[in-house]
């Protein structure tokens, strides 16, 4: 085994092999998914091209083709139909296997039976047309019907497969957040080792700008740490000796040493990944109405077809066997689920397209169905209800002459932070620049992580930070403390400023409520939904923002694990729950909820763990998504009703119910026409979604 150098990043041979093996397994899994999706796409494209040719040929729309005899035309069409039926439609035959092996019938069974019946009957007509004509039966083929059904169903399957394939990428992105190496201190020497080799109890050094490799407790030093991954808060947290730090959060300023307390699968990020996996796996699949109905409909259709065959053989006119076969095929063709196959996909395609035009990306039919049945919506605070970045809210001048007015205080404070990378400092500088103030370059800038900064501006000594920092430097904050307490109760972060050893005032910074938040929350409540705000922020800030936005229920101080628990509590009470969030810390809750709605201005992980993404980050998208979902589900139900209605009315006719009284036998061609009409009505009904107003 190789030894680590003091500065190198060389991996031991054994560990290197393990990491490579893990990477290979991930790559193999991703490769398999891509191959399956590619194969499905190949079937869809090939099937669509061949079906177009089949339909044009069947309708005699190919120049010169109609001049050929039936004995030539039909076998040529058969050649194009064969790969569609046998290769492109091969996946549906599992439905037949299920019937014989498990005695279970589903949509696949109906598709397989219907398309095979149409295909086999058409094949017999194509190669033996004289047999049918000699018995008074006009030789019609239905290759186009069978091929069209297969292609339409494959189209819906492709969209579903593509959406499901994104689930694992969210977990891969979470894994990529982990630090790769850790600076471990051993025998007074600093060795850079792979994070996988860090053990509980190791002492680790973290410099400014580095990711904290694992969870632990600070032993020496202090810093400001970007913990937005955990709490969602944009304002960095000050951490000192004795405080806990979390792996994969970012050290903004200051160098510190900490002892590793949780490593490997026990770290916070690893638990986040585990929670996302569990939530995605535990989310119950929504049983579509079409599939549920098919479990009863398919056996009924098969029974009717068999009874029809037997009845015509026993009581039908001569040639009874031929008439029985025609009636048998007619029943199966009319029952073939073209309209059923279109009922959901067409509504989904139109609905999701209309949603995309309005900045709403919906992953699949299950998401739409659940969104239409929501009873509770849980909102994250930071970046969802609020803008997600600190802004200057108030400027209070002490009145002792150190700053003549708020503009002067802001100019001095912004000049002192001109070169700072701290988010609070950037907020002050941005406010000053927006106000058109001329800033001066600071001299002797010093940062005191967790406390504040010191610099000289135009010859004046400026201190800016918390009250404890100013008092440590012998500065009396006086009555400013009371004003700071009042600001804190309103959810603001007060920054004390001193000029030349005297307190000059306070600049308060806070995260702003999105302008549309109040209206959206009010509208959701008026729709009868239970609206809740959940956040990792402190109670005062949460209550202030939540009440301002219009929430009645506010849950504060909640870490990601508890967010999932809160979602589960609601679901256990029978609620259909949506989670609206934007951060990494929201990913487990987004996955756990019945419908995860991600703000598009947030992280990729949040978006990929969600079911619906709002591209613009506008909360009005939540309202639009619910309105769209409710209407899409309504259209799907209408489509399914009409699809079944046509079948239920026409199946008895196809079976020969009119023959005893009127001597009427329906040609299978009319069955195909009726099926086409039902499909047109379903498509037309779905297109109405394009005109539904979402505002």
């Amino acid at each position: 085994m190789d030894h680590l150098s003091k500065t190198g990043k060389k991996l031991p041979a054994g560990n290197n092999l393990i990491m490579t093996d893990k990477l290979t397994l991930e790559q193999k899994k991703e490769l398999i998914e891509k191959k399956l999706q590619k194969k499905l796409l190949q079937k869809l494209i090939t099937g669509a091209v061949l079906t177009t040719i089949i339909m044009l040929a069947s309708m005699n729309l190919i120049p010169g083709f109609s001049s050929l005899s039936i004995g030539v035309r039909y076998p040529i069409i058969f050649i194009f139909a064969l790969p569609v039926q046998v290769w492109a439609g091969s996946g549906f035959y599992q439905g037949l296997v299920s019937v014989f092996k498990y005695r279970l019938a589903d949509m696949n069974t109906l598709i397989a039976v219907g398309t095979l019946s149409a295909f086999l009957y058409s094949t017999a007509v194509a190669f033996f047309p004289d047999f049918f004509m000699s018995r008074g039966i006009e030789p019609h083929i239905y290759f186009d019907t069978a091929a069209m059904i297969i292609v339409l169903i494959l189209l819906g399957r492709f969209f579903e497969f593509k959406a499901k394939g994104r689930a694992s990428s969210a977990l891969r992105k979470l894994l990529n957040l982990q630090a790769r190496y850790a600076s471990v201190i051993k025998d007074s020497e600093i060795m850079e080792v792979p994070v996988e080799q860090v053990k509980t109890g190791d002492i680790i050094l973290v410099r400014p700008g580095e990711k904290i490799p694992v969870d632990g407790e600070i032993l020496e030093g202090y810093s400001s740490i970007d913990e937005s991954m955990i709490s969602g808060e944009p304002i960095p947290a000050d951490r000192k000796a004795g405080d806990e730090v979390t792996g994969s959060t970012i050290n903004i300023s200051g160098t510190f040493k900490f002892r590793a307390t949780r490593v490997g699968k026990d770290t916070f990020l690893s638990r986040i990944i585990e929670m996302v996996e569990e939530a995605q796996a535990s989310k119950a699949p929504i049983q579509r109405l079409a599939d549920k109905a098919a479990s009863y409909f398919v056996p009924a259709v098969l029974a009717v077809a068999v009874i029809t065959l037997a009845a015509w053989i026993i009581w039908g006119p001569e040639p009874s066997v031929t008439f029985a076969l025609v009636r048998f095929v007619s029943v199966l063709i009319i029952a073939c689920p073209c309209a059923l196959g279109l009922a959901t996909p067409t509504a989904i395609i139109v609905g999701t397209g209309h949603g995309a035009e309005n900045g709403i990306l919906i992953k699949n039919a299950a998401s739409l169905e659940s969104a239409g049945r929501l009873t509770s919506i849980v909102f994250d605070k930071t970046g969802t209800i609020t803008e997600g970045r600190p802004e200057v809210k108030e400027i209070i001048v002490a009145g002792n002459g150190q700053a003549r007015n708020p503009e002067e205080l802001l100019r001095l404070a912004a000049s002192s932070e001109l070169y700072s990378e701290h988010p609070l400092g950037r907020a002050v500088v941005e406010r000053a620049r927006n106000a058109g103030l001329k800033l001066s370059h600071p001299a002797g800038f010093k940062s005191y992580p967790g406390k504040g900064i010191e610099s000289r501006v135009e010859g004046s000594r400026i201190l800016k930070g918390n009250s404890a920092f100013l008092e440590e430097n012998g500065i009396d904050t006086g009555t400013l403390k009371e004003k700071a307490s009042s600001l804190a109760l309103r959810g603001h972060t007060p920054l004390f400023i001193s000029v030349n050893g005297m307190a000059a005032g306070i600049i308060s910074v806070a995260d702003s409520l999105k302008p549309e938040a109040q209206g959206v929350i009010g509208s959701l409540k008026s729709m009868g939904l239970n609206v809740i705000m959940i956040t990792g922020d402190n109670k005062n800030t949460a209550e202030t923002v939540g009440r301002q936005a219009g929430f009645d229920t506010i849950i504060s101080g909640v870490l990601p694990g508890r967010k999932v628990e809160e979602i589960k509590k609601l679901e256990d009470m029978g609620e259909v729950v949506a989670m609206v969030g934007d951060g990494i810390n929201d990913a487990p809750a987004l996955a756990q909820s019945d419908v995860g709605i991600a703000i598009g201005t947030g992280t990729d992980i949040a978006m990929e763990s969600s079911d619906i993404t709002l591209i613009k980050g506008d909360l009005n998208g939540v309202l639009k998504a619910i309105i769209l979902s409710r209407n899409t589900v309504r259209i799907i139900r209408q489509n399914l009703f009409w699809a079944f209605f046509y079948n239920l009315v026409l199946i008895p006719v196809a079976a020969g119910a009119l023959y005893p009284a009127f001597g009427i036998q329906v040609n299978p061609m009319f069955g195909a026409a009726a099926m086409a009409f039902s499909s047109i009505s379903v498509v037309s009904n779905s297109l109405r979604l394009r005109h539904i107003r979402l505002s």
Side-chain angles (χ1 to χ4, degrees):
M1 181 178 287
D2 296 331
H3 293 286
L4 290 167
S5 66
K6 295 178 183 178
T7 57
K9 298 180 180 179
K10 193 172 184 181
L11 294 170
N15 282 34
N16 198 22
L17 287 172
I18 291 171
M19 290 182 70
T20 304
D21 184 52
K22 286 183 179 178
L23 184 62
T24 303
L25 289 173
E26 285 294 324
Q27 288 177 333
K28 282 181 179 178
K29 185 178 178 181
E30 190 174 354
L31 189 62
I32 290 170
E33 290 175 356
K34 286 183 177 179
K35 282 184 177 179
L36 289 173
Q37 187 171 325
K38 184 179 179 181
K39 187 174 182 180
L40 180 58
L41 182 60
Q42 288 173 342
K43 286 186 175 183
L44 176 60
I45 293 173
T46 304
V49 171
L50 292 175
T51 298
T52 302
I53 296 171
I54 293 165
M55 293 184 71
L56 291 174
S58 299
M59 293 184 287
N60 295 321
L61 295 177
I62 297 176
F65 193 70
S66 59
S67 62
L68 300 174
S69 66
I70 287 177
V72 176
R73 278 190 289 129
Y74 285 2
I76 291 175
I77 296 174
F78 165 81
I79 292 170
F80 286 101
L82 185 63
V84 179
Q85 187 71 42
V86 175
W87 179 64
S90 60
F92 302 120
Y93 302 139
Q94 185 61 40
L96 288 179
V97 176
S98 297
V99 170
F100 295 111
K101 192 172 182 180
Y102 305 109
R103 297 183 180 179
L104 294 173
D106 59 9
M107 287 290 287
N108 284 333
T109 308
L110 199 54
I111 294 165
V113 171
T115 58
L116 274 174
S117 299
F119 178 80
L120 293 174
Y121 177 82
S122 300
T123 300
V125 171
F127 290 98
F128 306 103
D130 294 339
F131 173 82
F132 291 89
M133 286 189 289
S134 65
R135 287 160 176 76
I137 300 171
E138 192 173 350
H140 285 288
I141 56 172
Y142 306 96
F143 290 126
D144 54 343
T145 300
M148 180 176 63
I149 292 168
I150 289 171
V151 169
L152 288 172
I153 302 299
L154 284 178
L155 179 63
R157 297 279 171 89
F158 176 73
F159 286 131
E160 279 187 34
F161 194 95
K162 193 172 181 181
K164 290 175 182 177
R166 296 192 186 109
S168 60
S169 62
L171 297 177
R172 285 195 290 271
K173 289 194 175 184
L174 279 172
L175 286 167
N176 289 336
L177 290 174
Q178 292 177 319
R180 300 301 182 195
Y181 298 92
S183 299
V184 177
I185 302 173
K186 290 184 179 180
D187 301 325
S188 300
E189 294 180 351
I190 300 173
M191 294 182 290
E192 206 164 51
V193 303
V195 71
E196 292 85 0
Q197 296 181 6
V198 175
K199 299 176 181 177
T200 302
D202 281 351
I203 308 301
I204 301 168
L205 178 71
V206 183
R207 305 175 184 86
E210 292 183 345
K211 281 185 180 180
I212 298 171
V214 295
D215 300 354
E217 180 183 343
I218 295 179
L219 300 176
E220 296 179 21
Y222 43 81
S223 182
S224 291
I225 298 174
D226 179 358
E227 296 183 344
S228 57
M229 184 189 80
I230 306 170
S231 65
E233 272 302 295
I235 299 173
D238 297 331
R239 294 288 179 258
K240 60 184 184 303
D243 291 340
E244 290 188 353
V245 290
T246 304
S248 301
T249 55
I250 301 170
N251 180 30
I252 294 178
S253 59
T255 299
F256 62 89
K257 298 177 184 178
F258 76 98
R259 178 186 291 109
T261 57
R262 290 186 296 273
V263 301
K265 292 184 178 180
D266 296 325
T267 63
F268 176 83
L269 183 60
S270 294
R271 294 203 304 274
I272 287 275
I273 293 169
E274 185 180 352
M275 282 188 283
V276 172
E277 286 177 330
E278 287 178 358
Q280 287 179 339
S282 65
K283 186 188 289 185
I286 297 172
Q287 180 65 46
R288 292 184 181 175
L289 184 59
D291 287 332
K292 188 174 182 180
S295 65
Y296 301 100
F297 183 70
V298 174
V301 168
L302 294 176
V304 169
V306 171
I307 292 170
T308 299
L309 179 68
W312 276 86
I313 290 174
I314 296 170
W315 295 295
E318 291 297 330
S320 60
V321 174
T322 302
F323 282 119
L325 287 171
V326 173
R327 297 277 64 77
F328 177 77
V329 171
S330 296
V331 170
L332 291 175
I333 288 176
I334 281 182
C336 203
C338 187
L340 285 177
L342 288 170
T344 298
T346 53
I348 295 303
I349 290 168
V350 177
T352 52
H354 191 39
E357 291 171 359
N358 287 270
I360 304 164
L361 296 182
I362 302 170
K363 285 189 177 179
N364 50 47
S367 305
L368 267 178
E369 185 174 343
S370 293
R373 299 184 293 108
L374 290 176
T375 57
S376 292
I377 302 184
V378 180
F379 285 85
D380 172 51
K381 181 181 80 69
T382 305
T384 304
I385 295 297
T386 66
E387 297 288 358
R389 63 179 185 275
E391 295 179 348
V392 172
K393 294 297 181 183
E394 291 190 31
I395 302 173
I396 301 171
V397 179
N400 55 18
Q402 297 304 307
R404 293 185 297 274
N405 52 51
E407 288 78 15
E408 177 68 10
L409 182 65
L410 177 62
R411 189 183 71 82
L412 290 172
S415 295
S416 70
E417 291 268 24
L418 192 59
Y419 302 137
S420 173
E421 291 299 319
H422 197 286
L424 298 184
R426 289 199 300 268
V428 173
V429 172
E430 183 180 358
R431 174 64 177 270
R433 283 176 170 164
N434 290 341
L437 301 179
K438 186 177 180 180
L439 304 183
S440 300
H441 294 281
F445 179 87
K446 293 181 181 178
S447 175
Y448 299 88
K451 298 181 179 181
I453 61 103
E454 176 184 359
S455 66
R456 299 194 75 82
V457 177
E458 299 170 359
S460 298
R461 179 175 177 248
I462 308 295
L463 295 179
K464 185 164 76 70
N466 55 38
S467 59
F469 177 57
L470 267 64
E471 288 169 358
E472 283 178 12
N473 285 270
I475 298 168
D476 182 14
T477 55
T479 57
L480 290 177
K481 270 190 175 182
E482 294 179 9
K483 294 178 180 179
S485 298
S486 175
L487 290 169
L489 288 173
R490 288 155 52 196
H492 293 206
T493 299
L495 303 174
F496 290 81
I497 298 108
S498 75
V499 179
N500 293 326
M502 293 185 66
I506 294 175
I507 295 178
S508 74
V509 180
D511 193 6
S512 299
L513 193 70
K514 286 185 176 179
E516 74 275 10
Q518 289 179 325
V520 170
I521 301 308
S523 297
L524 291 172
K525 289 165 71 175
S526 68
M527 293 169 69
L529 294 166
N530 178 29
V531 188
I532 301 165
M533 190 184 86
I534 191 166
T535 178
D537 207 351
N538 64 72
K539 184 177 181 180
N540 288 337
T541 302
E543 291 284 340
T544 300
V545 174
R547 300 301 178 202
Q548 187 181 352
F551 288 95
D552 295 324
T553 305
I554 300 163
I555 307 172
S556 59
V558 180
L559 294 180
R562 270 199 60 207
K563 283 186 180 181
V564 173
E565 290 175 11
E566 295 295 337
I567 298 293
K568 284 182 178 178
K569 282 181 187 177
L570 289 168
E571 291 174 335
D572 290 342
M573 292 166 60
E575 300 282 315
V576 181
V577 186
M579 172 71 193
V580 186
D582 74 316
I584 296 166
N585 58 311
D586 299 320
L590 287 168
Q592 173 61 42
S593 61
D594 296 287
V595 181
I597 303 176
I599 303 297
T601 50
T603 63
D604 289 343
I605 293 162
M607 286 185 273
E608 294 193 26
S609 298
S610 67
D611 303 297
I612 298 173
T613 298
L614 309 179
I615 298 174
K616 299 174 184 177
D618 186 344
L619 286 176
N620 284 303
V622 177
L623 270 176
K624 292 178 180 180
I626 293 172
I627 294 170
L628 178 64
S629 298
R630 289 182 174 180
N631 280 283
T632 303
V633 170
R634 179 173 56 84
I635 291 293
I636 290 173
R637 292 180 185 276
Q638 290 174 357
N639 287 347
L640 292 172
F641 168 79
W642 286 112
F644 279 114
F645 176 79
Y646 281 116
N647 283 324
L648 293 173
V649 169
L650 293 176
I651 283 175
V653 176
L658 299 179
Y659 184 78
F662 305 101
I664 297 174
Q665 292 190 66
V666 177
N667 191 296
M669 180 180 65
F670 291 106
M675 185 189 66
F677 181 74
S678 68
S679 298
I680 291 170
S681 67
V682 163
V683 172
S684 300
N685 192 43
S686 296
L687 289 174
R688 294 195 303 120
L689 280 168
R690 296 173 60 185
H691 307 292
I692 289 176
R693 295 186 62 183
L694 302 181
S695 56

